Amino acid sequence: MTQQPPPPIRITPVAVPPEDDFPSEVEMTLVDHLEELRRRVLRSLLAVVLSAAACLAFVRPLVKLLEEPAVGIRFLQLAPGEFLFVSIKVAGYAGLTLALPYVLYEGLAFVLPGLSRREQKLVGPAVAGSALLFAAGLAFAWWALIPAALRFLVGYGADVVEPLWSIERYMDFVLLLMLATGLAFQLPVLQLLLGALGLLKAQTMLSAWRWVVLIAALAGAVLTPSTDPVTMLLLSGAITALFLIGVALVALSERVRGATAA
């Protein structure tokens, strides 16, 4: 009796949803990836340096602008060349802020080929939201945190000591506080990305509110250059409020996706 050969095995290709394919995927070796990363990092650094050099030409108006919250304070140059170093530092921070969109562009251009179509759709809104929130963080630090901190620091012991401040110490305080606040304001963008990628749900985020309050208090203490409680409370309160806003946005996006799917 002749044994019949087994029927051929048919492999049915699995259709990949259009949202999960990689339209910009490019085959590159590890050396090519490292070379591309080096070029993009060098271009980003060059953009920061050129922006800082341009800001150095207008550094005196920038310094005067940063001195405005310190009403009634006299600034001193306590060491030779202190104002020169302050000018370079202010120009560097300003140049980094101006060059930030280009730096983000270079970073996104490097990682974009490895993202799926669904993930690429999140890039534009995430970058726009990040830039707006960073600007909002700078404005919040300028209009709320810095004046509140200065009122507390100047008022405490005003009847004992005369407020004569080092220009370098003051600029360190203002610039670091503004930068820290701008970075802290990125929290809702991070929450929206985690929610859009399905890594965290709004209910899960909300259930961890006690830990968020604790972490916000610690972040307010760490990110605040001074040790005054007013600034720490304002910053920790802002971080907690931003977290709740992020939870609300994630919940809204989940409801919109559910309504669309139905």
Side-chain angles (χ1 to χ4, degrees):
M1 182 178 181
T2 305
Q3 187 177 2
Q4 295 294 331
I9 300 175
R10 295 182 178 180
I11 301 176
T12 303
V14 179
V16 178
E19 294 291 325
D20 295 332
D21 61 356
F22 298 86
S24 305
E25 187 176 11
V26 179
E27 293 292 336
M28 297 177 65
T29 64
L30 177 60
V31 176
D32 292 336
H33 278 296
L34 293 177
E35 179 63 24
E36 183 187 3
L37 178 62
R38 185 185 70 85
R39 291 197 303 268
R40 295 192 182 280
V41 169
L42 289 178
R43 286 199 291 262
S44 300
L45 290 176
L46 180 61
V48 173
V49 171
L50 292 178
S51 299
C55 292
L56 192 60
F58 305 96
V59 72
R60 291 180 183 272
L62 287 175
V63 171
K64 290 184 178 296
L65 180 65
L66 294 174
E67 289 178 350
E68 284 186 4
V71 180
I73 302 297
R74 293 178 57 194
F75 294 103
L76 301 177
Q77 183 173 222
L78 302 181
E82 181 176 348
F83 184 71
L84 174 63
F85 296 129
V86 167
S87 301
I88 296 174
K89 190 176 298 185
V90 171
Y93 276 93
L96 178 61
T97 302
L98 292 178
L100 194 57
Y102 181 77
V103 175
L104 287 176
Y105 162 76
E106 289 290 350
L108 290 174
F110 178 73
V111 303
L112 201 62
L115 300 179
S116 65
R117 195 182 302 273
R118 179 169 62 91
E119 293 169 342
Q120 288 182 5
K121 291 180 179 179
L122 302 175
V123 170
V127 173
S130 178
L132 289 176
L133 285 174
F134 188 80
L138 296 181
F140 179 74
W142 176 254
W143 293 107
L145 292 184
I146 295 175
L150 292 180
R151 282 194 298 268
F152 176 82
L153 295 174
V154 173
Y156 184 79
D159 56 339
V160 179
V161 294
E162 183 180 358
L164 302 174
W165 291 357
S166 164
I167 184 64
E168 184 177 10
R169 296 291 183 86
Y170 172 77
M171 287 300 168
D172 287 341
F173 166 76
V174 170
L175 295 173
L176 288 176
L177 184 56
M178 294 180 69
L179 178 62
T181 308
L183 293 177
F185 267 56
Q186 304 301 307
L187 182 58
V189 175
L190 178 60
Q191 290 175 263
L192 274 176
L193 288 177
L194 293 176
L197 295 175
L199 300 178
L200 279 178
K201 301 293 185 182
Q203 188 62 35
T204 306
M205 295 180 187
L206 190 59
S207 62
W209 68 270
R210 295 178 181 85
W211 288 101
V212 172
V213 172
L214 176 61
I215 294 173
L218 294 175
V222 172
L223 297 177
T224 305
S226 63
T227 56
D228 65 287
V230 177
T231 310
M232 290 188 289
L233 287 175
L234 284 175
L235 185 54
S236 60
I239 294 174
T240 304
L242 288 168
F243 172 79
L244 296 176
I245 293 173
V247 171
L249 292 175
V250 173
L252 180 62
S253 65
E254 291 176 355
R255 181 172 298 182
V256 170
R257 286 201 305 269
T260 304

